Amino acid sequence: MGSFLITKRANGEFQFVLKAGNGQVILASEGYTTKAACENGIESVKKNSQDDGRFDRLESKNGKPYFNLKASNGQIIGSSEMYESVAARENGIESVMKNAPTADVKEDL
């Protein structure tokens, strides 16, 4: 089972990651100024991750596939790691779609 982990950055911002059942990070958020905003971001991931159209499939400057998950307003709510192949990126998207809706929320503040 997946889990969200909320942490606090050195600059005081909050961020979350979504981890798959094996502990691998499959989605990371931007920084949030408040913990409440970070928690809202998690709820947005849970909701938006069920719509394949919310995933932007992209390629980095060095040719590595990755994806962003966007909210209904177009704002990026999470980004993936860089993958070695398009197939690996698709597996990452599938993992987010599977793990996000029922993932527990943990804190390491």
Side-chain angles (χ1 to χ4, degrees):
M1 175 189 276
S3 63
F4 287 97
L5 179 64
I6 298 174
T7 57
K8 198 168 189 180
R9 294 178 173 176
N11 66 0
E13 289 184 335
F14 295 87
Q15 78 173 89
F16 65 82
V17 294
L18 173 60
K19 293 183 176 187
N22 64 5
Q24 181 179 355
V25 173
I26 51 177
L27 192 73
S29 75
E30 303 294 320
Y32 294 92
T33 54
T34 66
K35 184 178 162 199
C38 188
E39 291 168 337
N40 287 340
I42 290 171
E43 289 306 311
S44 185
V45 168
K46 288 183 175 194
K47 183 174 88 178
N48 289 289
S49 65
Q50 299 311 290
D51 181 349
D52 187 72
R54 299 269 193 253
F55 290 91
D56 275 351
R57 291 157 170 87
L58 305 164
E59 190 174 288
S60 67
K61 289 178 184 161
N62 65 0
K64 301 240 185 222
Y66 72 102
F67 65 85
N68 289 328
L69 176 61
K70 291 187 169 182
S72 56
N73 65 3
Q75 184 177 358
I76 296 171
I77 48 179
S79 299
S80 74
E81 64 179 0
M82 299 297 160
Y83 292 99
E84 293 301 318
S85 68
V86 170
R89 177 183 64 198
E90 291 304 312
N91 287 340
I93 290 170
E94 284 180 33
S95 186
V96 171
M97 292 178 90
K98 183 179 116 191
N99 285 285
T102 58
D104 292 337
V105 179
K106 301 174 182 176
E107 297 178 4
D108 185 11
L109 303 175

